[in-house]
Amino acid sequence: MASVILGRPRTPRAAKEPPVTDVRLARRQLLVDGVPTLVVAGEIHYFRLRREHWRGRLELLRTAGADTVATYVPWVVHERADGTLDLTGRTDPTLDLGAFLDLAAELGLQALVRPGPFVMAEMAGEGVPDRVRREHPEVVPVGWGGATAPTGDLDYLAPAFLAETRRWYAAVGEVVGPRTAPNGGPVIAVQLDNEIGMLAWVSGSPQLTADACVGLRDWLAERYGDGLVARYPGLPDACDPAALADAVRRPREGWATALRLDLGRFSRERFATYVDALEEAAESAGMGGVPFLINVHGTTGGSGASFPIGLSQLALTFPGHAQRAAGSDHYLGDLTLATAGDLHLMNAHLAALSDDEQPATSLEHEAGHADYGDDLAARTDPSAVVLKTRLSLAQGHRLLNFYLFAGGTNFVADPPRSDGTTRFGITGERHGFAAPVGPEGQRGPSFDSTAEAMRVAARLAPWLADADEEHDDLALALVLDDYLTEYPVPGSDDDAHAVAELAHARGGGPRGLLPRVLLTLGYRYGAVDLARDGDLPRTVVLGSPVAADAAVQARLATHVRGGGSLLLLGSLPTTELDGTPCTILSDALGVRVVGEVRDRPGWFTSVTSTWGHGTERRVGRAQLYEAEGAQVVLAEAMSGTPCGLALEAGAGRAVVLGCDWGADLGLFTTALTWLGAAPGLVREAIPGLITLTTRAADGSRLLHALNVGGSPVSTSITLDGVALWEGAPLTLQARTGVALPIGVRVSGHSLTATAEIESVDGWLDGREDGWVDRGVAILAGPGRAWLDGTEVEVVRDEDAGSGAPSFRVPLGPAR
């Protein structure tokens, strides 16, 4: 009997197996030697480990189930006190990057290299040597009021900084270049810088060096032409750079909102120019021929609501570049109903901004127990990393880097530091105490759950590496300009109000409600970037602030009047983002905004509903309407004035909910049904239950079901009009997930089962009349199975060695 693998296998690369030679992005897939692949990586910082400990940590990574090691390459550590760069271990054996990569290859691991120049990672100077700031003080940006940046930020486009970065990349390239996949090495991807724009965002301090201010003045002149004087009366000319810089850093009150918006758009272009320069430097240093990755920051305080700020900043850095891909960087802690809605929307937004060639990745996929303060205040449930992994895989992620996989040591800095710590890291001697593998190499409380997450990815890879997430004809709209709020103008009450209004309703709408409601109702939704060309889905769902760009309003108006449908939660826009009156959308819908009621001392704004529960509900604010012929859905309780409408406009329909309405599932079900948005997957609406489907290139489909709640759930499911499993209910225990085959192609058959596929194996059975292909699908647990539409027996076998049973589905001859 000769053993073979039937179906669509994916096995870890053996230590002695020849290395890959070609890695590229195509059709939203990651192709490794032409084969669609899921990459499962874990971050290990070689520079935080004694060299003799490298092998043990890498072996633990292999044991956990990863096929790739990721690591920062920190400039601040490799640049020594004498100004030389050591990446070969000349001064310290822990700095031999090549030896680390070679050891990874020896152990059968690929590598993802992240050379900065910024690395963050709790490093002194954010990973950039202090010498750069000391020798080139002009690269240290100033912000509002001429104040020096309060972070370690630097002017990305300062000539001196770019020159220093090219020197750094050249040194890294001498080691990494010969070890890239096209050269037979383990390096399959290179990340360009890290969390670009994050430092300016978190501090609210833009990069306003003199050169940047001159560049901004030129950009404004090109964008507004003769209208520049009206937009910025009194703005000095670029021929007086000192006066210009002072005017930009201390803007007049009348400029504030316009300057915040324009500065954000201008910075997008600067970031894109910077990334182009980094790619050129990387290729010149020999690190080309593999995909370049862009790390998108944006989560804060355990919420993903601000993630599109990072997307907005980097919106021009990866679209249009076929061999660049963007990756999320998320720290959400536990996956709850709230954070699951955030993560799902983050993933959808990332996909909406990516081109057809670019797969989604997660370059810092939060692992560990999240007690980053080492104070027992924030330990997450071990199931969180598994649930996050399942959700991201179901949404098309092709690379997950579990960060941080192994902790280590912040060694004494060389050169010595003078900023309160003797170490090159800012967390003390021990670093990564929340990681699955602790600083001393011990398996931490999250090791097993991280390993389970990695095994899930490997197990599902045969049917996910080339699969697409299936969507209903509905999408949540992404309006990137709603997130041009990273540089609020200090001291401007008008601009502070404008920023607060945007933050109130953008993205998921007031309270971030929309993604949670759609997931609860079973909708399989994606996102659509309203600034990009292309067809819109039939139903657009929008969290809408009171301000919206004229082009966005016009596109939505055209969509509805042309036969599409719109569900809007928040406010009908009455102005453009800069405050200029603009009612394109409301005019197209035949609605007039006549006022607004808000909470105030002694007043509790309430609204009554004719849909859903049909009761009075407390809200924080309500926008009031007049609209002839519209159906009143919501009304302000005291006056009876409409604040929610269902209306027809042209050939389409719209539902406008002009308040911060709550999770009235009945109302939203009625609204979406009236708009013609029918879910293709029908089940009971259960908060905490998420159901998605994927379809691979050969037609294989998986039903992904996650229960992020604390209680078991059970529901029957109908998909595309057919009751799954002959109407039997799906039951999920608390905080668990599955990816069930619903027509998976294995060994020439179509397999459907109520348990996840653990593996597929097969053999060649010798008979008198010749050799016959036979195979078996191993299920992860007991259940029912259907082969080519006919129910077949699931065979339970007891494993004499482990005592654990296995559940086998004989597949019969291949077809």
Side-chain angles (χ1 to χ4, degrees):
M1 182 179 295
S3 177
V4 298
I5 297 293
L6 303 175
R8 310 175 71 227
R10 186 268 198 190
T11 56
R13 183 169 296 275
K16 301 300 183 182
E17 190 174 341
V20 303
T21 59
D22 183 69
V23 185
R24 66 183 62 249
L25 312 176
R27 304 183 302 278
R28 298 209 174 207
Q29 298 169 21
L30 179 61
L31 303 181
V32 176
D33 287 339
V35 178
T37 305
L38 291 186
V39 172
V40 181
E43 183 98 5
I44 296 177
H45 295 160
Y46 63 93
F47 53 90
R48 282 179 161 133
L49 298 169
R50 296 295 180 192
R51 186 163 174 168
E52 59 268 25
H53 295 153
W54 288 352
R55 180 178 292 272
R57 301 304 194 278
L58 291 172
E59 288 176 342
L60 281 172
L61 184 61
R62 285 281 300 188
T63 297
D67 53 43
T68 300
V69 61
T71 185
Y72 284 123
V73 182
W75 184 3
V76 72
V77 172
H78 285 282
E79 181 164 306
R80 313 308 286 166
D82 61 3
T84 62
L85 293 168
D86 178 11
L87 289 105
T88 63
R90 171 178 53 84
T91 64
D92 183 341
T94 66
L95 303 183
D96 193 342
L97 173 61
F100 179 76
L101 296 175
D102 292 343
L103 178 59
E106 176 189 327
L107 296 174
L109 290 166
Q110 302 161 149
L112 162 59
V113 175
R114 310 207 289 161
F118 285 89
V119 300
M120 287 68 179
E122 297 76 52
M123 300 291 292
E126 308 294 353
V128 178
D130 292 344
R131 177 195 59 79
V132 174
R133 299 174 174 88
R134 186 172 61 252
E135 293 184 3
H136 309 286
E138 74 277 12
V139 309
V140 179
V142 296
W144 300 123
T148 301
T151 64
D153 201 11
L154 297 173
D155 182 358
Y156 295 130
L157 294 186
F161 178 62
L162 287 176
E164 291 278 9
T165 297
R166 283 191 290 269
R167 171 178 172 264
W168 165 240
Y169 267 36
V172 175
E174 288 183 6
V175 176
V176 172
R179 293 174 172 85
T180 58
N183 293 313
V187 177
I188 61 169
V190 174
Q191 181 181 300
L192 301 175
D193 209 318
N194 183 62
E195 299 177 342
I196 297 169
M198 184 270 289
L199 294 172
W201 163 53
V202 297
S203 64
S205 179
Q207 297 178 354
L208 297 179
T209 59
D211 285 349
C213 290
V214 170
L216 173 63
R217 178 65 167 75
D218 293 342
W219 183 90
L220 292 171
E222 181 178 353
R223 181 179 179 92
Y224 296 108
D226 294 340
L228 178 59
V229 173
R231 191 170 179 86
Y232 295 103
L235 180 66
D237 194 85
C239 62
D240 189 350
L244 173 63
D246 186 66
V248 171
R249 296 166 185 166
R250 297 174 174 82
R252 300 180 182 183
E253 172 64 23
W255 297 358
T257 295
L259 183 58
R260 169 176 54 79
L261 296 168
D262 286 334
L263 186 57
R265 295 181 179 120
F266 169 68
S267 295
R268 282 179 190 160
E269 296 190 13
R270 296 189 89 236
F271 296 151
T273 301
Y274 174 55
V275 171
D276 288 347
L278 291 180
E279 181 175 288
E280 180 182 357
E283 289 180 335
S284 297
M287 293 187 286
V290 296
F292 291 114
L293 304 179
I294 308 295
N295 194 11
V296 182
H297 67 87
T299 60
T300 181
S303 168
S306 57
F307 178 73
I309 290 178
L311 276 178
S312 172
Q313 290 180 295
L314 301 178
L316 303 179
T317 63
F318 58 93
H321 299 272
Q323 295 308 306
R324 291 184 197 169
S328 61
D329 174 335
H330 59 79
Y331 294 89
L332 299 171
D334 272 323
L335 198 69
T336 63
L337 178 55
T339 56
D342 283 357
L343 181 57
H344 184 278
L345 188 56
M346 288 169 57
N347 292 340
H349 282 160
L350 187 63
L353 203 59
S354 298
D355 291 340
D356 291 341
E357 299 299 305
Q358 298 167 319
T361 73
S362 182
L363 293 170
E364 293 189 23
H365 187 75
E366 186 180 26
H369 56 66
D371 186 19
Y372 303 121
D374 197 23
D375 56 6
L376 303 180
R379 292 216 167 195
T380 59
D381 190 283
S383 63
V385 66
V386 183
L387 292 170
K388 291 173 190 174
T389 298
R390 287 187 175 276
L391 183 56
S392 293
L393 290 174
Q395 292 187 264
H397 279 48
R398 313 299 191 193
L399 181 154
L400 298 177
N401 178 31
F402 290 80
Y403 188 98
L404 180 69
F405 178 78
T409 300
N410 291 320
F411 298 113
V412 173
D414 177 26
R417 301 203 59 79
S418 59
D419 55 357
T421 177
T422 63
R423 311 277 167 170
F424 60 62
I426 60 174
T427 58
E429 182 176 359
R430 301 175 76 243
H431 179 267
F433 25 74
V437 177
E440 293 74 39
Q442 72 278 22
R443 298 189 186 194
S446 61
F447 181 88
D448 289 344
S449 58
T450 301
E452 180 186 350
M454 290 180 172
R455 289 193 298 269
V456 165
R459 188 164 69 238
L460 299 180
W463 301 284
L464 288 182
D466 64 352
D468 295 319
E469 182 185 5
E470 296 182 305
H471 292 144
D472 295 315
D473 200 4
L474 172 149
L476 248 171
L478 169 63
V479 183
L480 279 178
D481 280 4
D482 286 355
Y483 294 88
L484 290 170
T485 55
E486 65 268 37
Y487 309 130
V489 179
S492 171
D493 292 338
D494 289 345
D495 192 50
H497 176 74
V499 169
E501 288 297 298
L502 289 171
H504 168 73
R506 65 191 180 189
R511 310 189 198 187
L513 188 69
L514 290 171
R516 298 193 293 274
V517 165
L518 292 175
L519 289 177
T520 299
L521 294 178
Y523 281 92
R524 298 166 299 166
Y525 74 88
V528 59
D529 178 5
L530 292 182
R532 304 190 78 172
D533 294 334
D535 295 333
L536 296 177
R538 173 174 178 174
T539 302
V540 173
V541 180
L542 176 68
S544 178
V546 73
D549 186 77
V552 169
Q553 293 193 43
R555 188 169 192 199
L556 292 171
T558 300
H559 171 68
V560 174
R561 297 196 66 84
S565 60
L566 171 67
L567 173 60
L568 182 151
L569 178 67
S571 301
L572 263 176
T574 57
T575 71
E576 294 197 65
L577 290 172
D578 63 2
T580 303
C582 182
T583 56
I584 294 173
L585 179 57
S586 59
D587 293 344
L589 299 180
V591 179
R592 191 165 72 91
V593 178
V594 296
E596 183 185 60
V597 177
R598 294 196 184 204
D599 275 356
R600 58 184 186 271
W603 180 272
F604 310 99
T605 307
S606 299
V607 168
T608 58
S609 169
T610 58
W611 284 0
H613 293 307
T615 59
E616 182 173 309
R617 181 184 287 264
R618 171 79 185 281
V619 298
R621 62 170 76 178
Q623 191 181 47
L624 308 180
Y625 306 128
E626 287 181 357
E628 185 177 349
Q631 180 181 352
V632 176
V633 175
L634 304 175
E636 194 271 319
M638 297 299 288
S639 67
T641 306
C643 59
L645 304 170
L647 54 91
E648 297 183 355
R653 290 182 165 188
V655 173
V656 177
L657 305 177
C659 62
D660 48 335
W661 193 249
D664 183 344
L665 298 180
L667 181 143
F668 282 102
T669 298
T670 303
L672 290 164
T673 301
W674 188 81
L675 291 171
L681 188 154
V682 179
R683 59 164 173 82
E684 185 179 350
I686 302 174
L689 176 62
I690 299 170
T691 46
L692 309 173
T693 58
T694 54
R695 185 187 294 269
D698 67 356
S700 294
R701 300 177 79 188
L702 293 175
L703 169 70
H704 304 264
L706 286 76
N707 176 14
V708 302
S711 302
V713 298
S714 183
T715 181
S716 59
I717 297 177
T718 298
L719 181 62
D720 301 331
V722 177
L724 294 182
W725 318 301
E726 299 178 345
L730 167 70
T731 299
L732 281 178
Q733 297 303 311
R735 301 193 62 77
T736 60
V738 292
L740 301 179
I742 48 173
V744 162
R745 302 298 301 175
V746 285
S747 302
H749 298 280
S750 174
L751 174 64
T752 295
T754 61
E756 195 163 284
I757 299 176
E758 182 74 34
S759 62
V760 178
D761 204 350
W763 59 87
L764 293 174
D765 189 6
R767 299 255 182 107
E768 291 182 1
D769 55 351
W771 290 89
V772 179
D773 288 336
R774 297 192 179 279
V776 61
I778 309 298
L779 302 184
R784 300 169 65 189
W786 290 260
L787 208 60
D788 302 320
T790 300
E791 187 164 10
V792 296
E793 181 184 8
V794 177
V795 180
R796 177 187 174 109
D797 285 342
E798 300 294 337
D799 188 322
S802 66
S806 66
F807 303 91
R808 301 166 49 244
V809 179
L811 300 175
R815 296 186 178 183

